[in-house]
Amino acid sequence: MSTSVVSGLLEERDPGFPGRGGGEQVTALVDLVAEFLAERGDPLPGPPEP
């Protein structure tokens, strides 16, 4: 998936997306992936056990 497609999806969800900093953009991408996986019934794994 190209970055323009991902940016377009994220901008569609949040029109303020392009104005966010790099860290906020990564967080938004991870949130989008987590939402996608949850809708599929395959949630993101939790953190590893110590």
Side-chain angles (χ1 to χ4, degrees), residues 6 12 15 22 32 38 43:
V6 172
E12 200 173 288
L32 182 64

Side-chain angles (χ1 to χ4, degrees), residues 5-43:
V5 171
V6 172
S7 292
L9 290 170
L10 290 167
E11 194 171 334
E12 200 173 288
R13 285 185 85 203
D14 177 6
F17 174 75
R20 293 181 179 211
E24 291 175 315
Q25 289 183 347
V26 169
T27 299
L29 176 59
V30 171
D31 289 346
L32 182 64
V33 170
E35 182 180 321
F36 169 77
L37 291 174
E39 286 182 18
R40 279 188 14 177
D42 185 20

Side-chain angles (χ1 to χ4, degrees), residues 46-50:
E49 295 292 325

